[in-house]
Amino acid sequence: MTEVTEGDSLAERIDRLFRIVRRPGGDSFSNEEVARSCREASGESFSTTYLWQLRTGRRDNPTKRHLEALAQFFEVPPAYFFEDEQGARIAEELTLLGALRDAGVREVALRAVTLSPDGLGTITDMIEAIARREREAAARRAE
């Protein structure tokens, strides 16, 4: 879902940032406001249409300054756009941050901080069992 895999396109990486990195209230950023910020940061032309083209893969060769401006806006290192290993690590961290925006997930995570390693193992087992049941139920509904 949000995992970076080898060969992810630039468009997939940019779009992932839009899906995960959000305003403090939880709303996503618009192409217009990101393009405006990137234009101001880079001092170069950076239109809403150009950003949309990058997000959708219609353009795939931005300048170094454009990528640096995007990285600055989303607070990721520019290497996120190029290096599979670092991109995967950053995507994993972004996924975690995105999940922590959910109040229920945040509450469980905060309670888990005080648990022993055995207690964390038990909680992990329970979460895996529930996730497996939900996947199986979804597969049955899809049939």
Side-chain angles (χ1 to χ4, degrees), residues 50-98:
Y50 177 67
L51 179 56
W52 173 80
Q53 290 171 334
L54 290 174
R55 275 184 84 177
T56 59
R58 286 168 176 78
R59 303 248 342 233
D60 63 358
N61 194 18
T63 67
K64 177 179 180 262
R65 291 176 98 178
H66 287 148
L67 289 180
E68 289 172 342
L70 281 169
Q72 180 181 348
F73 181 87
F74 288 108
E75 299 180 358
V76 298
Y80 166 79
F81 298 110
F82 304 107
E83 297 177 16
D84 287 336
E85 186 177 318
Q86 187 167 11
R89 194 170 50 252
I90 293 166
E92 190 175 284
E93 291 170 4
L94 290 171
T95 301
L96 174 61
L97 290 174

